[in-house]
Amino acid sequence: MIHNLCSCACLLLLLANIQSVVKANELQRIVSDRLSLQELYSSDVQQNVTQVRQQRGIVIPSGGGQMLANAYVAARVIRNYHACDLPIEIAYFGEHEIDAYHKHLFTSISHVSLADLSAVHRLEYKSDVAIGGYAIKAFAIIYSSFAEVLCLDSDNLPVHDPSALFDTAPYQEYGNIFWSDPNINGLDALVYHMFGLEPPWLSNEAFLAAESGQILLNRQKHTDVLHWLWFVTANSAFFYPRMHGDKDTYHLAFALANKTSEYHQIKIGPQLGLTPWKKPEGLFYVSAGFIQPGLANSTAFYHRVERGAKINPASPIMLTPLFITTTLSHTWRRPGGTSWFDVEFGGGGIATHYPASSVNTTAYKACCSSAHHTRLYSSSCSCRATSDMEDHKMIAIPVSYFPDLRRILSISQQLFLSYQHDLWLHEQMIQA
């Protein structure tokens, strides 16, 4: 028995050594690739990524039943509810990701086109690399036909007409806007140190990771960044596990292009949508997604990051927030007692459950009701503007104080139910 234990220990040690060697070799190869590409990518004459056909537009990476359903509702909200006339690209990867029914649905919306990313002519570096998962988003940005692009996750809804974002002062100055994520878990300093760069969080106590559900980028102004983004994305098997997916790869791409000072990220975190949910273990508040800020004390996007909040063609119910927290500060961390349970509705799957003891649903009254005659919430109200680690409680405000968001939630629910009904009728006709 002792001999067997020793054999197992030796085998584990051998495997660890092999993995260490493989990791070192992969790291060395990527650093070497960077050095060989640096002269080309820093030159004044660079290979055009794609032929620009339109100046400004929206790209929604999609593909597969649930993502297509979310993208359809988003496109309808943008075009029909906001009356936004920006062209929209629905990006997918291969004909297997979209059927004729959904092609017809999308192209029946004015100024919506379909973009099969598997058919684009790629940059020469690692042109045969397989693309999937989070990489689809970067791929859609890199190879979009728009000079200036707003990239939205399919489960992300603009609360207002997003075209105004292109004319804001920060975008005009920097040519990009990124939004923040309250969690910085999963960021490995190695991805900066390996290139002789300083990780941005080391010199910035208020650092927030990026939340890439919405990205505004002038591709013509930052062509060099696109090349480095492709470099990182083509090596996503190395970078994504060390950067919590694609989120901060855009920041790294700016750093590799020696443009760190031109990278612009909104310096406040999102708000969190919460729904009360009773389980045998007690009362919890289930996370329904991020509410991202605009640039004038307004809500810009509702990003349904939790599975239960996503639109699911197989279920008539989706998780909708009843409360909205105040802004999550850079000191905020998930409180003790946070759990991850399956949700039995909507998109299904694991969702974050916050214990009732970590949520304060009464403090808002001193901020919203006494300060305003109308039922509106403003971050400039008298109560604490952020939810942080000071008392381990998130300040939650009824969604009724956010009328624009509430209207978007209502209209998206109606669009989804109509979409689902028509889809079910279509499927029944096929089966008949």
Side-chain angles (χ1 to χ4, degrees):
M1 181 176 180
I2 294 175
H3 175 72
N4 289 338
L5 289 174
C6 290
S7 298
C8 288
C10 290
L11 179 59
L12 290 173
L13 181 61
L14 177 61
L15 289 173
N17 288 335
I18 292 174
Q19 290 176 346
S20 178
V21 171
V22 170
K23 174 184 173 182
N25 289 341
E26 180 73 351
L27 187 151
Q28 186 176 18
R29 178 194 63 77
I30 293 172
V31 171
S32 177
D33 285 355
R34 189 250 180 154
L35 292 174
S36 64
L37 293 169
Q38 196 165 16
E39 183 176 352
L40 171 65
Y41 286 4
S42 62
S43 64
D44 292 333
V45 180
Q46 297 188 36
Q47 176 185 353
N48 290 327
V49 181
T50 56
Q51 181 180 359
V52 171
R53 294 193 295 273
Q54 298 181 83
Q55 188 63 29
R56 293 175 174 177
I58 299 170
V59 172
I60 306 178
S62 305
Q66 189 167 340
M67 290 182 68
L68 291 172
N70 282 270
Y72 174 73
V73 170
R76 285 288 307 277
V77 166
I78 292 167
R79 183 68 75 243
N80 300 117
Y81 182 74
H82 292 318
C84 171
D85 59 3
L86 287 174
I88 300 172
E89 282 181 349
I90 303 298
Y92 57 95
F93 203 85
E95 289 297 317
H96 64 284
E97 290 198 340
I98 187 169
D99 57 15
Y101 177 78
H102 283 91
K103 283 184 177 181
H104 173 73
L105 275 185
F106 283 115
T107 54
S108 66
I109 305 172
S110 63
H111 304 296
V112 171
S113 61
L114 303 175
D116 183 356
L117 298 177
S118 69
V120 302
H121 178 71
R122 300 193 193 184
L123 296 173
E124 292 182 9
Y125 175 72
K126 298 192 76 170
S127 61
D128 59 345
V129 69
I131 296 295
Y134 294 126
I136 293 291
K137 190 187 310 179
F139 202 91
I141 293 172
I142 293 168
Y143 295 103
S144 171
S145 65
F146 303 128
E148 302 174 70
V149 61
L150 171 63
C151 182
L152 295 177
D153 280 6
S154 63
D155 55 5
N156 199 343
L157 290 173
V159 179
H160 303 282
D161 180 353
S163 59
L165 292 169
F166 288 97
D167 297 317
T168 57
Y171 177 75
Q172 290 294 313
E173 179 178 355
Y174 296 101
N176 68 96
I177 298 178
F178 291 82
W179 279 259
S180 294
D181 191 303
N183 298 305
I184 61 171
N185 299 332
L187 291 179
D188 188 342
L190 173 65
V191 299
Y192 282 88
H193 286 153
M194 63 190 284
F195 300 120
L197 302 170
E198 180 179 289
W201 56 87
L202 294 184
S203 57
N204 181 7
E205 291 184 0
F207 173 84
L208 287 167
E211 195 275 291
S212 59
Q214 55 288 304
I215 294 170
L216 194 65
L217 182 67
N218 186 325
R219 297 172 63 258
Q220 286 186 319
K221 183 173 183 176
H222 296 298
T223 301
D224 48 353
V225 174
L226 292 180
H227 282 262
W228 286 115
L229 180 59
W230 174 245
F231 167 75
V232 174
T233 304
N235 291 293
S236 59
F238 179 87
F239 288 107
Y240 282 10
R242 295 169 172 84
M243 304 193 77
H244 203 66
D246 71 302
K247 297 191 300 183
D248 280 272
T249 58
Y250 306 92
H251 200 161
L252 178 60
F254 269 83
L256 290 169
N258 196 27
K259 281 186 167 182
T260 299
S261 62
E262 296 182 44
Y263 174 85
H264 182 74
Q265 183 173 318
I266 292 179
K267 293 180 172 58
I268 60 172
Q271 295 165 269
L272 194 62
L274 299 174
T275 295
W277 193 253
K278 188 72 167 67
K279 297 187 72 71
E281 297 85 352
L283 175 64
F284 291 86
Y285 288 86
V286 182
S287 171
F290 289 147
I291 292 86
Q292 289 288 5
L295 301 179
N297 195 30
S298 63
T299 300
F301 301 99
Y302 170 50
H303 188 191
R304 302 186 298 269
V305 294
E306 296 283 358
R307 287 186 178 275
K310 300 179 192 297
I311 290 170
N312 181 3
S315 172
I317 304 172
M318 62 180 177
L319 189 65
T320 300
L322 296 182
F323 292 93
I324 309 298
T325 70
T326 50
T327 300
L328 303 179
S329 77
H330 70 280
T331 66
W332 181 84
R333 298 294 181 269
R334 288 193 177 101
T338 299
S339 305
W340 289 266
F341 295 112
D342 278 319
V343 288
E344 303 84 12
F345 47 82
I350 299 294
T352 310
H353 289 57
Y354 297 100
S357 60
S358 69
V359 180
N360 186 330
T361 59
T362 60
Y364 77 90
K365 295 177 181 178
C367 176
C368 302
S369 299
S370 63
H372 298 279
H373 296 294
T374 56
R375 290 172 63 83
L376 293 173
Y377 167 76
S378 168
S379 60
S380 62
C381 288
S382 56
C383 67
R384 268 195 308 120
T386 59
S387 294
D388 53 28
M389 287 296 291
E390 184 176 323
D391 59 4
H392 302 275
K393 284 184 181 290
M394 292 182 283
I395 300 172
I397 302 149
V399 72
S400 58
Y401 285 82
F402 302 83
D404 292 340
L405 173 61
R406 186 178 57 179
R407 282 192 288 269
I408 289 298
L409 294 172
S410 175
I411 193 67
S412 64
Q413 177 79 0
Q414 294 172 41
L415 288 169
F416 164 56
L417 292 176
S418 177
Y419 159 85
Q420 185 185 58
H421 173 258
D422 293 345
L423 177 65
W424 286 354
L425 283 178
H426 171 72
E427 292 173 344
Q428 184 172 314
M429 290 175 59
I430 292 177
Q431 294 170 1

